[in-house]
Amino acid sequence: MTKPKLYLFTISHYCEKACWGLEYLGVDYEPVVVMPGEHITIAKQHGLKRGSVPYLVDGDHVVQGSDQILKWAEARSTNGKSLDCDNPEAVEMEQRIDHLVGVHVRRHYYSEALVEHSSTVRPVFMRGLSLPNRIKLWLAWSVIRSKMIEGMDLGKEQGIESGNIVVAQLDWLDSLLADGRQFLLGGAQPSVVDFSAASLLAPYVSPPEHSLAQVITLPPRLSEQVAVWRTRPTLQHVLSMYKAFR
Ligand SMILES: N[C@@H](CCC(=O)N[C@@H](CS)C(=O)NCC(=O)O)C(=O)O
């Protein structure tokens, strides 16, 4: 039987969330690393309107978005584990984390890394690509970089703005953990809320169990800022989630 294919960018924290969830739920898949641009062509070939990764193709069935992929995977869990993907409270928290933490951690990072230190970003995109695609990416890098800067509205001020949005979400997540709960939803097992927060915040703390821990270099201002945040309960929770479950 052919495995479902998960199309992804190595650097994407949403793709990390999908991979981690699939593995936690015991759902086998084949990761397919794509290059920016190619992700849109392949998505269209599968009838998707938007190119955004991750998307998963299982025969004729296509599922796009880390949230939908985890929901799909939970229904196919082979080990009896669940992520509470059908719990409305969990879904609401997941959406908040995806849209505010996911988007703004990414903009916070790229606003400095891609704008001022783009040679540290390119090798991360190249990991896992075929040799011809690595060459293509190398040649197309300045165009890809410009499109990303425009598409995500990156820049110094924008980076500061996104950093402030993340801080407000860290305040919220810290307040949830303040009653001593082990997991963000309050149960005895991790849920999709923990998986979302952990994978989307991981770039700030580089957990040793993360496949990019030795690969991503944080740019200097961001590095200084997140060093101060590292002791926050939520970022400690990210590290514990990786240690226990990744
Ligand atoms: N909410 C979506 C966000 C996915 C997303 O923003 N993917 C980015 C990579 S981090 C992407 O594919 N960007 C390129 C594009 O949208 O064409 C999810 O959870 O999967």
Side-chain angles (χ1 to χ4, degrees), residues 9 12-14 39-40 51-54 65-67 98 106:
F9 294 157
S12 162
H13 53 355
Y14 292 108
H39 72 297
I40 298 175
S52 109
V53 289
S66 60
D67 54 342
D98 280 1
R106 180 176 65 191

Side-chain angles (χ1 to χ4, degrees), residues 52-71:
S52 109
V53 289
Y55 51 86
L56 179 138
V57 178
D58 183 27
D60 291 338
H61 195 61
V62 187
V63 192
Q64 188 168 41
S66 60
D67 54 342
Q68 297 308 311
I69 292 168
L70 293 199
K71 201 172 151 66

